[in-house]
Amino acid sequence: MSTTLISPTNSGASGDTPTRKTASAFSAGQLVASIPGALRKLDPRTMWRNPVMFVVEIGAALTTVLAIAQPFVGDASTSTASPTSLAFIWAIAVWLWLTVVFANMAEAVAEGRGKAQAKSLRESRTSTMANVVDGYDPKTDAAALRSTMVQRASAELTLGDIVVVTAGESIPGDGDIVWGIASVDESAITGESAPVVRESGGDRSAVTGGTRVLSDRIVVQITSKPGETFVDRMIALVEGASRQKTPNEIALNILLASLTIIFVVVVLIINPIASYSNATQSVPVLVALLVCLIPTTIGALLSAIGIAGMDRLVQHNVLAMSGRAVEAAGDVTTLLLDKTGTITYGNRRAAEFAPVSGVSLERLARAAATSSLSDPTPEGKSVLDLAHELGFTIPTEVTGEVVPFTAQTRMSGVDYADGSQVRKGAGSQVAAWTGVTDVKIQHELDAIVTRISEAGGTPLVVAERTAEGTASVLGVIYLKDVVKTGLAERFADLRRMGIRTVMITGDNPLTAKAIAAEAGVDDFLAEATPEDKMELIKKEQQGGNLVAMTGDGTNDAPALAQADVGVAMNTGTSAAKEAGNMVDLDSDPTKLIDIVAIGKQLLITRGSLTTFSIANDVAKYFAIIPAMFVASYPGLAALNFMQLHSPASAILSAVVFNALIIIVLIPLALRGVKYRASSVSKILSRNLWIYGVGGLIAPFIGIKIIDLVISLIPGF
């Protein structure tokens, strides 16, 4: 039989692959859209969850009542520039309310972005009719199966139901394929338009409700209850409805609440003590002092920082089951990485043509490439790619008979129309096919094969036979697990962060050592079993390390559950996704490195803004305290080195700055402080210089500018 062989080409659809749209870190439109939500959050039943801002709201309400009552009480100061004047009290009340609203806006903007993403997910969740089969038997043929189907709404499906889904139909619920193979469109979940293959009996058997079957037919066993599907959980999580505060966030909230209580007590005892020197203050001034004393900046932004951290993961197509997982990612000290698909591409690629003596590189490359024209495997395509990279012209069409690879022959190749032949395959089989007895050539070939094998590669020997029957060995193709580009640099960054990387592989120790050295990982575990992974994780945790790992199979589930951060692949089994505390919708194992960076960015953002908040409170003291007591203690005028216009202007300027700085910092809280791989000491030093010193300087500049503006207002 004569067949025309055509070189395979990359015939994928042109154009960009559409992905799910993600919200920008901050925009004026988001700010405006958040106003209704911010006003709804003024409900005390909501505000009490944030003790710092709850105290500010009480102060705002109290000051408002005093402003309303002041004309009726009749003790307002005749000087409109006095801290007891009606204009001053109303100004303080308005800016205190704005402080609370601005704080609520930070959280509302963060939640609003999650709700926008949830809306698109909700649109993907459809209520469809399912073909339910009672008493499913895998041996039942299609005709008999159809006769036993019962139509039932997807919302009525229960755990364990068996449904049949054919091309063009939506999968009615989360489940595992128990029979069949099909192409599935998961763009509603992952944002990627390229279909994926799902099949029974492996680690790619899990399917998600709401996705659509594009070809063939599959039988799915439902693994979720109504309202508890993967999409339902995604919607709840990205909306923030099920977001629980992390241990560190709770601890910081307790610290802020404690500081607030302390300052409330301090402010309450000021007047009794000051009465001995006739330096008592009005209630609005004391409220203003309290608001400037307590850490309002970080109190206002803390919740938004946590929500934005989970949102950044969602924008990377990673679903975190809890804020604790995101935070733990930032504290990870050991990273377990599968070799295949994570460190290497997973498919072996041709890396080198090694000709024997007397054979040119071009002759070997042409023979290897020609024999690969009909090879549809990634390895075969990589041989063609390597030949093109080396600059050799390979014919795209050859007339001959294809000789496919079989387990018996362990070779493949082409028998040309002119009677010549070419083969590539295992060394012993090709040697037997050629019948070459040249000892020198055999020794040279053995040396090349040994070198490639010891480097962890796979040798494919190439030989040809002329039409006259003369056979000769041309050389060897070096197939290797190619380490992904740029990984060595990323692992070096992780090392600077104090994170140890461990490669896990089923390869023999020799191959594992070679790949680990090329990739730049710190250690490796060869010939690993699921039990070995578990033991390694427990050993690391017993040594005080936090461990992160990825997995997709049922056999990975115990290790994913044991790890502090377990990232399950969306293509994996339901057991793996249930065991992990994160799910990567793109099923990209290398994303684990990005997850760690996002976790660290969350921790650094929280720490940086806390530093800034405490530092800028110090500057506000210099503005408000001299203004309060300068009349009774003239010596305090020396502290008024900013030369603020008047006591009323100084106090109001501090309150205004306290409110405006929240709005200024919302974009940073949502976007996150830029993370750079570095040691802890360098990160801390940079944090103190930028946000500590910056937090001290910014209020002095801001309060002075605001004071200059207020001084232009008649009466101030």
Side-chain angles (χ1 to χ4, degrees):
M1 179 181 68
S2 179
T3 305
T4 300
L5 308 180
I6 306 295
S7 173
T9 59
N10 184 9
S11 57
S14 61
D16 296 331
T17 300
T19 57
R20 182 187 300 141
K21 295 180 180 178
T22 56
S24 61
F26 183 78
S27 68
Q30 291 174 345
L31 191 62
V32 172
S34 70
I35 292 176
L39 295 176
R40 284 193 296 270
K41 289 178 180 290
L42 290 175
D43 186 338
R45 292 171 297 182
T46 301
M47 290 299 302
W48 75 268
R49 298 188 183 95
N50 187 337
V52 176
M53 300 316 300
F54 186 50
V55 168
V56 178
E57 184 178 40
I58 293 174
L62 177 60
T63 309
T64 303
V65 170
L66 292 174
I68 295 172
Q70 189 80 323
F72 304 100
V73 174
D75 62 349
S77 170
T78 56
S79 171
T80 54
S82 168
T84 59
S85 70
L86 184 60
F88 172 81
I89 297 172
W90 270 114
I92 292 294
V94 168
W95 280 101
L96 290 182
W97 281 115
L98 287 175
T99 301
V100 181
V101 171
F102 291 164
N104 290 345
M105 286 175 69
E107 186 173 5
V109 170
E111 290 178 348
R113 293 164 57 185
K115 289 176 181 177
Q117 292 168 332
K119 182 181 178 182
S120 66
L121 289 170
R122 194 173 280 110
E123 290 172 351
S124 73
R125 184 184 58 182
T126 57
S127 179
T128 60
M129 296 303 293
N131 298 314
V132 183
V133 179
D134 292 326
Y136 169 71
D137 183 354
K139 298 179 181 178
T140 306
D141 60 30
L145 198 60
R146 279 194 294 271
S147 66
T148 61
M149 289 182 190
V150 178
Q151 289 277 315
R152 191 183 303 169
S154 60
E156 299 175 359
L157 294 175
T158 59
L159 196 67
D161 278 348
I162 302 293
V163 299
V164 178
V165 190
T166 57
E169 296 179 345
S170 292
I171 297 173
D174 294 355
D176 289 326
I177 300 176
V178 295
W179 180 88
I181 180 172
S183 177
V184 179
D185 175 12
E186 296 185 343
S187 58
I189 305 298
T190 66
E192 299 292 339
S193 63
V196 295
V197 175
R198 296 286 178 262
E199 59 184 321
S200 62
D203 291 342
R204 306 177 76 86
S205 61
V207 289
T208 305
T211 57
R212 182 174 294 274
V213 174
L214 300 179
S215 67
D216 302 292
R217 182 185 66 165
I218 53 176
V219 179
V220 178
Q221 183 175 34
I222 300 299
T223 58
S224 62
K225 298 178 182 178
E228 297 181 5
T229 65
F230 188 62
V231 174
D232 289 319
R233 289 159 62 194
M234 286 181 67
I235 291 171
L237 286 163
V238 299
E239 282 186 325
S242 62
R243 191 186 85 88
Q244 297 180 345
K245 292 182 178 179
T246 64
N248 285 348
E249 193 175 349
I250 292 171
L252 185 53
N253 261 317
I254 293 172
L255 174 62
L256 297 180
S258 302
L259 289 174
T260 301
I261 293 171
I262 292 171
F263 285 126
V264 167
V265 173
V266 168
V267 170
L268 287 175
I269 64 175
I270 282 180
N271 267 353
I273 295 175
S275 63
Y276 291 101
S277 56
N278 296 318
T280 56
Q281 303 294 321
S282 67
V283 172
V285 171
L286 292 176
V287 171
L289 173 64
L290 174 61
V291 171
C292 290
L293 285 175
I294 62 179
T296 51
T297 307
I298 186 61
L301 299 172
L302 184 59
S303 179
I305 293 170
I307 295 172
M310 294 188 70
D311 179 68
R312 280 192 291 275
L313 276 179
V314 172
Q315 294 200 27
H316 278 73
N317 266 5
V318 177
L319 178 63
M321 300 306 177
S322 69
R324 181 191 296 265
V326 185
E327 195 170 86
D331 287 328
V332 161
T333 53
T334 302
L335 221 56
L336 305 186
L337 302 160
D338 272 335
K339 182 205 74 174
T340 304
T342 305
I343 292 175
T344 66
Y345 284 100
N347 296 316
R348 295 173 301 174
R349 295 188 175 189
E352 177 190 351
F353 294 129
V356 297
S357 299
V359 177
S360 67
L361 180 61
E362 181 177 3
R363 181 183 174 191
L364 171 60
R366 288 176 63 86
T370 303
S371 65
S372 301
L373 286 173
S374 61
D375 189 344
T377 66
E379 290 88 346
K381 293 178 181 178
S382 72
V383 173
L384 293 171
D385 292 340
L386 180 59
H388 286 301
E389 288 173 11
L390 294 175
F392 301 129
T393 302
I394 307 300
T396 58
E397 184 176 319
V398 179
T399 302
E401 183 177 354
V402 177
V403 180
F405 176 88
T406 66
Q408 290 74 31
T409 63
R410 297 174 64 195
M411 293 187 301
S412 63
V414 178
D415 289 343
Y416 299 110
D418 62 2
S420 61
Q421 300 172 306
V422 63
R423 295 287 187 274
K424 66 174 183 181
S428 58
Q429 299 298 111
V430 173
W433 179 79
T434 60
V436 174
T437 57
D438 189 317
V439 177
K440 181 181 178 181
I441 293 296
Q442 189 61 51
H443 281 320
E444 186 178 356
L445 185 63
D446 290 344
I448 296 173
V449 169
T450 301
R451 172 177 66 83
I452 293 173
S453 299
E454 289 180 347
T458 301
L460 289 181
V461 177
V462 180
E464 64 180 9
R465 180 178 290 157
T466 64
E468 292 75 25
T470 304
S472 58
V473 174
L474 303 181
V476 182
I477 305 171
Y478 177 9
L479 292 181
K480 65 177 295 187
D481 267 345
V482 179
V483 173
K484 294 183 177 180
T485 56
L487 278 187
E489 291 77 8
R490 299 189 74 176
F491 290 148
D493 287 342
L494 291 172
R495 199 171 296 113
R496 284 193 292 273
M497 293 156 50
I499 297 175
R500 177 169 166 266
T501 53
V502 181
M503 182 186 78
I504 300 176
T505 177
D507 289 339
N508 62 71
L510 188 63
T511 301
K513 182 179 180 181
I515 295 175
E518 183 179 353
V521 296
D522 298 310
D523 203 352
F524 65 89
L525 177 66
E527 299 177 343
T529 64
E531 292 76 17
D532 293 334
K533 295 180 185 179
M534 278 287 290
E535 288 303 315
L536 178 59
I537 293 173
K538 290 180 180 179
K539 182 180 177 182
E540 291 289 334
Q541 290 172 333
Q542 289 168 1
N545 294 313
L546 265 69
V547 181
M549 74 160 287
T550 62
D552 59 2
T554 301
N555 63 350
D556 290 325
L560 287 170
Q562 180 67 35
D564 299 284
V565 179
V567 184
M569 301 295 100
N570 190 41
T571 57
T573 62
S574 298
K577 289 194 281 189
E578 288 294 329
N581 48 26
M582 291 188 187
V583 176
D584 176 17
L585 303 180
D586 295 329
S587 301
D588 177 10
T590 60
K591 202 177 288 184
L592 182 58
I593 301 172
D594 297 320
I595 291 171
V596 171
I598 291 171
K600 286 191 174 294
Q601 185 183 34
L602 169 65
L603 298 179
I604 290 172
T605 301
R606 186 186 296 153
S608 298
L609 292 183
T610 301
T611 303
F612 184 91
S613 177
I614 294 172
N616 86 57
D617 285 343
V618 174
K620 285 180 284 186
Y621 305 159
F622 280 92
I624 200 168
I625 293 177
M628 290 175 60
F629 298 105
V630 70
S632 301
Y633 301 101
L636 288 176
L639 296 178
N640 186 23
F641 55 84
M642 285 189 285
Q643 297 298 305
L644 300 178
H645 180 65
S646 67
S649 174
I651 295 169
L652 183 57
S653 296
V655 172
V656 171
F657 176 84
N658 192 65
L660 293 180
I661 196 63
I662 295 172
I663 285 290
V664 171
L665 292 176
I666 288 177
L668 183 61
L670 298 181
R671 184 178 60 249
V673 175
K674 187 174 182 180
Y675 172 69
R676 297 180 179 87
S678 185
S679 64
V680 174
S681 60
K682 287 184 178 179
I683 291 174
L684 179 60
S685 176
R686 185 169 61 245
N687 177 52
L688 290 175
W689 275 107
I690 296 176
Y691 297 97
V693 176
L696 281 172
I697 296 173
F700 287 110
I701 298 173
I703 291 173
K704 180 61 179 178
I705 293 173
I706 295 170
D707 177 73
L708 291 173
V709 174
I710 291 176
S711 67
L712 299 176
I713 301 174
F716 280 93

